[in-house]
């Protein structure tokens, strides 16, 4: 019989990315915990329904927050896999009703990945006047052996707010290709922050965050932070389309490249089809300043430690 | 002897211009030494060479620290030997808190609070603030000095600690430097062109056009500097003797 607990490797990697494990494992805290294609923990709370079905290679699930429900504590999601090889497919759907509030703290952990693929096809539907905060922290181990392909489609209802924070800054990356399409309705607000750090020549990150401001007076900001060192490659595309009067958006990309063979590319794409809309962008790509390095080395850090600290600060 | 800067000449990598030429001076343990001179005379370049910045490695000469030739040692190696520098214009680190910056060397929050107190900053207010452009120039400068002090250095170099300070902070600087001297017991190399800032120094070396033209008691050297600044260069004729620091301590 399959062990219905979270393996220690996954718990440890949760700690590595800053998850408060005691909170995540607290029997009373709302959660959905997966180990490969097994559901190892579900805890619902008043107004929060979590349903899941185990598939051959993964899990399909619905997470539903009812109208008027405001969940104070974060809902923990853990998508973990310990084997070094295989394929995991996760198909989650998040439905947040009207006048509701919820925050998700997701932890995707593949600590032993060598030839492992994780695919996610997610959908988020947010009703009117609601708020959804979604944070996803990844840990892919030390072997650059993970291939991670998440695709998300998000609909942000009138006067609602969607905040997404994605970070992959601990351990190696492997291959990551993220695609996110977000549709903002009337007076909706969208904030996307993405951070990725490629540390060696096997690490390749491609992220495409696209926000479509379809509703009147909708607003968005996309903030992308990336670093590539020792041959890593990070390509980020922040797309904002403003298609309604009063829609305003901003794309802000900042990237650091350090070491032979490292490549970063920041591509802000803005498209405006309404003459009462406005989208701005800024992008900066460069190496770590020598003076910053010298300052930290004068405190006793090695050059690599100093680069790491500066990048983590920017992240 | 703690430090012996022996006949060093600095030429930047990408130019044939000489920044400093045949600079020689030395420091004893626990000595406070001021490197004085006008802007562009090469004072900061000497500090960068002692710290080991790549662009300031000497084209000739030696730097000996505690009997060891460190002329081509890395910055990190020198820092681990107890040499550090508080920069004239400290960089700002995006996303790094003052606590994180100090705790590169300070053991814990308590120790960080202690060094902030030395530079007259309230730890409760500052430790969790970002070390970025939300700090004023004066605040950032104090944090920089605190970070250098936190290393418990053998040789603490302060590059123009008075630059960019407002009148209140400037007034506090002298007593702050005295406190640092008393509490750390470090040898201190102060780079300045102000008498008040160098006031805690036992000795001084005067730099002019990239050369040390005199070394000796701080007050005497400062007087010479003032004369030279007024165009009276005759003071260059007589060498200024340097009494050994140990001998001076014994005579007190």
């Amino acid at each position: 019989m399959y062990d219905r607990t979270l393996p220690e490797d996954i718990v440890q990697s949760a700690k590595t990315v800053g998850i408060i494990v005691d909170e995540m494992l607290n029997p009373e805290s709302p959660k959905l915990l997966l180990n490969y294609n097994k559901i190892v923990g579900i805890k619902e709370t008043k107004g929060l329904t979590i349903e899941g079905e185990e598939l051959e290679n993964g899990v399909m699930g619905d997470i539903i927050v009812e109208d008027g429900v405001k969940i104070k504590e974060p809902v923990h999601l853990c998508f973990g896999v310990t084997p070094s090889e295989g394929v995991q497919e996760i198909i989650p759907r998040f439905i947040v009703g009207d006048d509701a509030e919820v925050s998700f703290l997701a932890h995707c952990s593949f600590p032993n990945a060598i030839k492992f693929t994780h695919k996610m096809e997610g959908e988020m539907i947010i009703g009117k006047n609601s708020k959804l905060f979604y944070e996803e922290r990844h840990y892919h181990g030390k072997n650059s052996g993970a291939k991670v392909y998440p695709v998300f489609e998000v609909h942000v209802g009138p006067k609602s707010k969607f905040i997404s924070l994605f970070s992959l800054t601990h351990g190696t990356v492997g291959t990551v290709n993220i695609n996110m399409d977000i549709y903002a309705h009337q007076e909706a607000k969208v904030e996307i922050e993405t951070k990725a750090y490629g540390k060696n020549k096997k690490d390749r990150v491609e992220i495409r965050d696209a926000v479509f401001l379809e509703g009147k007076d909708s607003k968005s900001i996309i903030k992308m932070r990336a670093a590539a060192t020792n041959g890593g490659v990070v390509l980020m595309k922040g797309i904002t389309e403003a298609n309604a009067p009063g829609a305003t958006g901003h794309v802000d990309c900042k990237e650091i490249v350090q070491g032979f063979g490292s490549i970063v590319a920041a591509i802000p794409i803005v498209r405006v089809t309404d003459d009462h809309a406005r989208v701005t962008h800024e992008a900066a790509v460069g190496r770590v300043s020598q003076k910053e390095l010298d300052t930290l080395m004068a405190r006793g850090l090695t050059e690599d430690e100093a680069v790491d600290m500066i990048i983590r600060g920017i992240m | 002897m703690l430090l012996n800067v022996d006949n060093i000449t600095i030429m930047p990598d990408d130019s044939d211009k000489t920044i400093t030429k045949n600079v020689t001076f030395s420091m004893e343990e626990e000595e406070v030494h001021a490197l004085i001179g006008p802007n562009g005379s090469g004072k900061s370049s000497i500090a960068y060479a002692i710290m080991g910045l790549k662009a300031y490695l000497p084209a000739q000469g030696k730097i000996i620290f505690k009997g060891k030739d460190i002329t081509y040692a890395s910055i990190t190696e020198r820092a681990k030997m107890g040499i550090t520098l508080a920069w004239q214009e400290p960089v700002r680190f995006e996303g790094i808190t003052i606590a994180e910056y100090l705790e590169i060397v300070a053991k814990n929050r308590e120790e960080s609070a202690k060094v902030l107190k030395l530079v007259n900053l309230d730890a409760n207010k500052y430790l969790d603030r970002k070390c970025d452009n939300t700090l004023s120039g004066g605040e950032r400068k104090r944090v920089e000095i605190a970070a250098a002090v936190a290393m418990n250095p053998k040789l603490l170099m302060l590059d123009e600690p008075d630059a960019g300070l407002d009148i209140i902070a400037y007034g506090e600087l002298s007593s702050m430097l005295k406190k640092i001297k008393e509490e750390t017991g470090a040898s201190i190399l102060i780079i300045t062109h102000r008498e008040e800032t160098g006031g805690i120094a036992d000795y001084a070396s005067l730099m002019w056009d990239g050369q040390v033209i005199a070394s000796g008691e701080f007050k005497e050297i400062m007087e010479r500097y003032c004369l030279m600044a007024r165009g009276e260069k005759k003071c260059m004729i007589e060498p200024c003797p340097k009494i050994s620091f140990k001998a001076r301590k014994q005579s007190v």
Side-chain angles (χ1 to χ4, degrees), chain B residues 50-74:
Chain B
I50 296 169
M51 193 66 249
L53 269 60
K54 279 180 195 159
Y56 294 85
L57 291 178
Q60 70 164 49
K62 280 181 182 175
I63 300 170
I64 310 291
F65 183 71
K66 297 187 91 178
K68 194 176 170 189
D69 186 346
I70 59 160
T71 315
Y72 298 104
S74 71

PDB file of all heavy atoms in Angstrom, chain B residues 50-74:
ATOM      1  N   ILE B  50      45.575  48.723  -0.941  1.00  0.00           N
ATOM      2  CA  ILE B  50      45.738  47.933   0.295  1.00  0.00           C
ATOM      3  C   ILE B  50      44.607  46.897   0.405  1.00  0.00           C
ATOM      4  O   ILE B  50      44.808  45.778   0.845  1.00  0.00           O
ATOM      5  CB  ILE B  50      45.767  48.855   1.538  1.00  0.00           C
ATOM      6  CG1 ILE B  50      46.994  49.784   1.472  1.00  0.00           C
ATOM      7  CG2 ILE B  50      45.781  48.040   2.830  1.00  0.00           C
ATOM      8  CD1 ILE B  50      46.987  50.905   2.506  1.00  0.00           C
ATOM      9  N   MET B  51      43.394  47.304  -0.050  1.00  0.00           N
ATOM     10  CA  MET B  51      42.254  46.378   0.001  1.00  0.00           C
ATOM     11  C   MET B  51      42.353  45.305  -1.080  1.00  0.00           C
ATOM     12  O   MET B  51      41.752  44.237  -0.955  1.00  0.00           O
ATOM     13  CB  MET B  51      40.951  47.177  -0.144  1.00  0.00           C
ATOM     14  CG  MET B  51      39.669  46.437   0.200  1.00  0.00           C
ATOM     15  SD  MET B  51      39.564  45.992   1.948  1.00  0.00           S
ATOM     16  CE  MET B  51      39.713  44.217   1.894  1.00  0.00           C
ATOM     17  N   GLY B  52      43.104  45.603  -2.157  1.00  0.00           N
ATOM     18  CA  GLY B  52      43.323  44.579  -3.203  1.00  0.00           C
ATOM     19  C   GLY B  52      42.396  44.677  -4.392  1.00  0.00           C
ATOM     20  O   GLY B  52      42.212  43.681  -5.101  1.00  0.00           O
ATOM     21  N   LEU B  53      41.797  45.845  -4.639  1.00  0.00           N
ATOM     22  CA  LEU B  53      40.922  45.995  -5.807  1.00  0.00           C
ATOM     23  C   LEU B  53      41.743  45.774  -7.078  1.00  0.00           C
ATOM     24  O   LEU B  53      42.831  46.348  -7.227  1.00  0.00           O
ATOM     25  CB  LEU B  53      40.299  47.394  -5.832  1.00  0.00           C
ATOM     26  CG  LEU B  53      38.961  47.545  -5.128  1.00  0.00           C
ATOM     27  CD1 LEU B  53      39.049  47.198  -3.657  1.00  0.00           C
ATOM     28  CD2 LEU B  53      38.426  48.948  -5.291  1.00  0.00           C
ATOM     29  N   LYS B  54      41.195  44.963  -7.978  1.00  0.00           N
ATOM     30  CA  LYS B  54      41.951  44.537  -9.164  1.00  0.00           C
ATOM     31  C   LYS B  54      42.531  45.719  -9.941  1.00  0.00           C
ATOM     32  O   LYS B  54      43.669  45.678 -10.393  1.00  0.00           O
ATOM     33  CB  LYS B  54      41.052  43.716 -10.089  1.00  0.00           C
ATOM     34  CG  LYS B  54      40.917  42.281  -9.647  1.00  0.00           C
ATOM     35  CD  LYS B  54      40.010  41.514 -10.596  1.00  0.00           C
ATOM     36  CE  LYS B  54      39.586  40.201  -9.970  1.00  0.00           C
ATOM     37  NZ  LYS B  54      38.374  39.648 -10.567  1.00  0.00           N
ATOM     38  N   ALA B  55      41.731  46.757 -10.121  1.00  0.00           N
ATOM     39  CA  ALA B  55      42.178  47.884 -10.951  1.00  0.00           C
ATOM     40  C   ALA B  55      43.291  48.693 -10.282  1.00  0.00           C
ATOM     41  O   ALA B  55      43.874  49.571 -10.909  1.00  0.00           O
ATOM     42  CB  ALA B  55      40.990  48.782 -11.265  1.00  0.00           C
ATOM     43  N   TYR B  56      43.549  48.417  -9.026  1.00  0.00           N
ATOM     44  CA  TYR B  56      44.537  49.219  -8.280  1.00  0.00           C
ATOM     45  C   TYR B  56      45.723  48.380  -7.791  1.00  0.00           C
ATOM     46  O   TYR B  56      46.443  48.790  -6.895  1.00  0.00           O
ATOM     47  CB  TYR B  56      43.855  49.917  -7.096  1.00  0.00           C
ATOM     48  CG  TYR B  56      42.848  50.938  -7.550  1.00  0.00           C
ATOM     49  CD1 TYR B  56      41.548  50.557  -7.857  1.00  0.00           C
ATOM     50  CD2 TYR B  56      43.203  52.269  -7.725  1.00  0.00           C
ATOM     51  CE1 TYR B  56      40.621  51.478  -8.316  1.00  0.00           C
ATOM     52  CE2 TYR B  56      42.285  53.199  -8.175  1.00  0.00           C
ATOM     53  CZ  TYR B  56      40.995  52.799  -8.469  1.00  0.00           C
ATOM     54  OH  TYR B  56      40.084  53.721  -8.925  1.00  0.00           O
ATOM     55  N   LEU B  57      45.886  47.201  -8.377  1.00  0.00           N
ATOM     56  CA  LEU B  57      47.047  46.398  -7.983  1.00  0.00           C
ATOM     57  C   LEU B  57      48.310  47.131  -8.405  1.00  0.00           C
ATOM     58  O   LEU B  57      48.387  47.669  -9.509  1.00  0.00           O
ATOM     59  CB  LEU B  57      46.981  45.012  -8.634  1.00  0.00           C
ATOM     60  CG  LEU B  57      45.882  44.095  -8.109  1.00  0.00           C
ATOM     61  CD1 LEU B  57      45.884  42.771  -8.866  1.00  0.00           C
ATOM     62  CD2 LEU B  57      46.023  43.827  -6.617  1.00  0.00           C
ATOM     63  N   PRO B  58      49.323  47.185  -7.545  1.00  0.00           N
ATOM     64  CA  PRO B  58      50.513  47.983  -7.849  1.00  0.00           C
ATOM     65  C   PRO B  58      51.282  47.462  -9.065  1.00  0.00           C
ATOM     66  O   PRO B  58      51.430  46.256  -9.245  1.00  0.00           O
ATOM     67  CB  PRO B  58      51.371  47.844  -6.587  1.00  0.00           C
ATOM     68  CG  PRO B  58      50.455  47.365  -5.531  1.00  0.00           C
ATOM     69  CD  PRO B  58      49.380  46.595  -6.203  1.00  0.00           C
ATOM     70  N   ALA B  59      51.766  48.411  -9.883  1.00  0.00           N
ATOM     71  CA  ALA B  59      52.639  48.041 -10.998  1.00  0.00           C
ATOM     72  C   ALA B  59      54.037  47.735 -10.458  1.00  0.00           C
ATOM     73  O   ALA B  59      54.793  46.994 -11.063  1.00  0.00           O
ATOM     74  CB  ALA B  59      52.689  49.182 -12.013  1.00  0.00           C
ATOM     75  N   GLN B  60      54.377  48.352  -9.336  1.00  0.00           N
ATOM     76  CA  GLN B  60      55.637  48.019  -8.645  1.00  0.00           C
ATOM     77  C   GLN B  60      55.478  48.265  -7.154  1.00  0.00           C
ATOM     78  O   GLN B  60      54.556  48.952  -6.718  1.00  0.00           O
ATOM     79  CB  GLN B  60      56.795  48.839  -9.204  1.00  0.00           C
ATOM     80  CG  GLN B  60      56.729  50.310  -8.841  1.00  0.00           C
ATOM     81  CD  GLN B  60      58.052  51.016  -9.069  1.00  0.00           C
ATOM     82  OE1 GLN B  60      58.639  50.889 -10.118  1.00  0.00           O
ATOM     83  NE2 GLN B  60      58.511  51.768  -8.086  1.00  0.00           N
ATOM     84  N   GLY B  61      56.378  47.710  -6.372  1.00  0.00           N
ATOM     85  CA  GLY B  61      56.342  47.887  -4.923  1.00  0.00           C
ATOM     86  C   GLY B  61      55.643  46.736  -4.219  1.00  0.00           C
ATOM     87  O   GLY B  61      55.160  45.804  -4.858  1.00  0.00           O
ATOM     88  N   LYS B  62      55.619  46.819  -2.890  1.00  0.00           N
ATOM     89  CA  LYS B  62      55.058  45.724  -2.094  1.00  0.00           C
ATOM     90  C   LYS B  62      54.130  46.273  -1.012  1.00  0.00           C
ATOM     91  O   LYS B  62      54.340  47.374  -0.513  1.00  0.00           O
ATOM     92  CB  LYS B  62      56.188  44.978  -1.379  1.00  0.00           C
ATOM     93  CG  LYS B  62      56.937  43.997  -2.248  1.00  0.00           C
ATOM     94  CD  LYS B  62      57.984  43.323  -1.404  1.00  0.00           C
ATOM     95  CE  LYS B  62      58.795  42.351  -2.245  1.00  0.00           C
ATOM     96  NZ  LYS B  62      59.894  41.775  -1.475  1.00  0.00           N
ATOM     97  N   ILE B  63      53.158  45.438  -0.652  1.00  0.00           N
ATOM     98  CA  ILE B  63      52.346  45.754   0.530  1.00  0.00           C
ATOM     99  C   ILE B  63      52.535  44.587   1.499  1.00  0.00           C
ATOM    100  O   ILE B  63      52.223  43.437   1.163  1.00  0.00           O
ATOM    101  CB  ILE B  63      50.860  45.937   0.173  1.00  0.00           C
ATOM    102  CG1 ILE B  63      50.699  47.082  -0.840  1.00  0.00           C
ATOM    103  CG2 ILE B  63      50.029  46.210   1.423  1.00  0.00           C
ATOM    104  CD1 ILE B  63      49.311  47.193  -1.435  1.00  0.00           C
ATOM    105  N   ILE B  64      53.070  44.888   2.662  1.00  0.00           N
ATOM    106  CA  ILE B  64      53.329  43.852   3.666  1.00  0.00           C
ATOM    107  C   ILE B  64      52.366  44.074   4.822  1.00  0.00           C
ATOM    108  O   ILE B  64      52.293  45.183   5.363  1.00  0.00           O
ATOM    109  CB  ILE B  64      54.790  43.925   4.194  1.00  0.00           C
ATOM    110  CG1 ILE B  64      55.810  43.990   3.048  1.00  0.00           C
ATOM    111  CG2 ILE B  64      55.091  42.773   5.161  1.00  0.00           C
ATOM    112  CD1 ILE B  64      55.937  42.733   2.243  1.00  0.00           C
ATOM    113  N   PHE B  65      51.621  43.030   5.181  1.00  0.00           N
ATOM    114  CA  PHE B  65      50.681  43.116   6.299  1.00  0.00           C
ATOM    115  C   PHE B  65      51.040  42.032   7.309  1.00  0.00           C
ATOM    116  O   PHE B  65      51.059  40.853   6.963  1.00  0.00           O
ATOM    117  CB  PHE B  65      49.248  42.940   5.789  1.00  0.00           C
ATOM    118  CG  PHE B  65      48.200  43.073   6.861  1.00  0.00           C
ATOM    119  CD1 PHE B  65      47.921  44.312   7.428  1.00  0.00           C
ATOM    120  CD2 PHE B  65      47.496  41.964   7.308  1.00  0.00           C
ATOM    121  CE1 PHE B  65      46.954  44.433   8.422  1.00  0.00           C
ATOM    122  CE2 PHE B  65      46.532  42.083   8.301  1.00  0.00           C
ATOM    123  CZ  PHE B  65      46.257  43.324   8.855  1.00  0.00           C
ATOM    124  N   LYS B  66      51.337  42.435   8.515  1.00  0.00           N
ATOM    125  CA  LYS B  66      51.760  41.524   9.578  1.00  0.00           C
ATOM    126  C   LYS B  66      52.872  40.581   9.083  1.00  0.00           C
ATOM    127  O   LYS B  66      52.801  39.352   9.278  1.00  0.00           O
ATOM    128  CB  LYS B  66      50.572  40.723  10.108  1.00  0.00           C
ATOM    129  CG  LYS B  66      49.521  41.623  10.749  1.00  0.00           C
ATOM    130  CD  LYS B  66      48.442  40.853  11.417  1.00  0.00           C
ATOM    131  CE  LYS B  66      48.823  40.615  12.863  1.00  0.00           C
ATOM    132  NZ  LYS B  66      47.799  39.910  13.616  1.00  0.00           N
ATOM    133  N   GLY B  67      53.823  41.148   8.393  1.00  0.00           N
ATOM    134  CA  GLY B  67      54.987  40.396   7.946  1.00  0.00           C
ATOM    135  C   GLY B  67      54.775  39.571   6.682  1.00  0.00           C
ATOM    136  O   GLY B  67      55.691  38.922   6.190  1.00  0.00           O
ATOM    137  N   LYS B  68      53.539  39.605   6.130  1.00  0.00           N
ATOM    138  CA  LYS B  68      53.243  38.770   4.963  1.00  0.00           C
ATOM    139  C   LYS B  68      53.048  39.663   3.731  1.00  0.00           C
ATOM    140  O   LYS B  68      52.361  40.691   3.810  1.00  0.00           O
ATOM    141  CB  LYS B  68      51.969  37.973   5.251  1.00  0.00           C
ATOM    142  CG  LYS B  68      51.754  36.844   4.287  1.00  0.00           C
ATOM    143  CD  LYS B  68      50.533  36.031   4.660  1.00  0.00           C
ATOM    144  CE  LYS B  68      50.226  35.058   3.524  1.00  0.00           C
ATOM    145  NZ  LYS B  68      48.975  34.390   3.685  1.00  0.00           N
ATOM    146  N   ASP B  69      53.648  39.258   2.629  1.00  0.00           N
ATOM    147  CA  ASP B  69      53.496  40.021   1.397  1.00  0.00           C
ATOM    148  C   ASP B  69      52.097  39.767   0.820  1.00  0.00           C
ATOM    149  O   ASP B  69      51.775  38.654   0.400  1.00  0.00           O
ATOM    150  CB  ASP B  69      54.575  39.569   0.392  1.00  0.00           C
ATOM    151  CG  ASP B  69      54.559  40.436  -0.869  1.00  0.00           C
ATOM    152  OD1 ASP B  69      53.577  41.179  -1.072  1.00  0.00           O
ATOM    153  OD2 ASP B  69      55.530  40.361  -1.643  1.00  0.00           O
ATOM    154  N   ILE B  70      51.257  40.786   0.808  1.00  0.00           N
ATOM    155  CA  ILE B  70      49.877  40.608   0.319  1.00  0.00           C
ATOM    156  C   ILE B  70      49.644  41.374  -0.981  1.00  0.00           C
ATOM    157  O   ILE B  70      48.495  41.564  -1.388  1.00  0.00           O
ATOM    158  CB  ILE B  70      48.840  41.070   1.379  1.00  0.00           C
ATOM    159  CG1 ILE B  70      49.057  42.554   1.733  1.00  0.00           C
ATOM    160  CG2 ILE B  70      48.883  40.193   2.610  1.00  0.00           C
ATOM    161  CD1 ILE B  70      47.840  43.199   2.366  1.00  0.00           C
ATOM    162  N   THR B  71      50.733  41.804  -1.620  1.00  0.00           N
ATOM    163  CA  THR B  71      50.596  42.682  -2.786  1.00  0.00           C
ATOM    164  C   THR B  71      49.598  42.143  -3.810  1.00  0.00           C
ATOM    165  O   THR B  71      48.844  42.899  -4.402  1.00  0.00           O
ATOM    166  CB  THR B  71      51.969  42.874  -3.467  1.00  0.00           C
ATOM    167  OG1 THR B  71      52.933  43.126  -2.442  1.00  0.00           O
ATOM    168  CG2 THR B  71      51.948  44.012  -4.450  1.00  0.00           C
ATOM    169  N   TYR B  72      49.593  40.823  -4.030  1.00  0.00           N
ATOM    170  CA  TYR B  72      48.705  40.261  -5.051  1.00  0.00           C
ATOM    171  C   TYR B  72      47.656  39.311  -4.458  1.00  0.00           C
ATOM    172  O   TYR B  72      47.061  38.511  -5.183  1.00  0.00           O
ATOM    173  CB  TYR B  72      49.537  39.584  -6.151  1.00  0.00           C
ATOM    174  CG  TYR B  72      50.431  40.603  -6.832  1.00  0.00           C
ATOM    175  CD1 TYR B  72      51.798  40.654  -6.560  1.00  0.00           C
ATOM    176  CD2 TYR B  72      49.885  41.567  -7.676  1.00  0.00           C
ATOM    177  CE1 TYR B  72      52.599  41.633  -7.137  1.00  0.00           C
ATOM    178  CE2 TYR B  72      50.682  42.543  -8.256  1.00  0.00           C
ATOM    179  CZ  TYR B  72      52.034  42.572  -7.979  1.00  0.00           C
ATOM    180  OH  TYR B  72      52.807  43.551  -8.546  1.00  0.00           O
ATOM    181  N   ALA B  73      47.426  39.414  -3.157  1.00  0.00           N
ATOM    182  CA  ALA B  73      46.366  38.596  -2.539  1.00  0.00           C
ATOM    183  C   ALA B  73      45.005  39.137  -2.968  1.00  0.00           C
ATOM    184  O   ALA B  73      44.869  40.311  -3.308  1.00  0.00           O
ATOM    185  CB  ALA B  73      46.492  38.647  -1.014  1.00  0.00           C
ATOM    186  N   SER B  74      43.979  38.266  -2.969  1.00  0.00           N
ATOM    187  CA  SER B  74      42.636  38.721  -3.379  1.00  0.00           C
ATOM    188  C   SER B  74      42.002  39.561  -2.268  1.00  0.00           C
ATOM    189  O   SER B  74      42.464  39.542  -1.119  1.00  0.00           O
ATOM    190  CB  SER B  74      41.746  37.509  -3.663  1.00  0.00           C
ATOM    191  OG  SER B  74      41.440  36.861  -2.444  1.00  0.00           O
TER     192      SER B  74
END
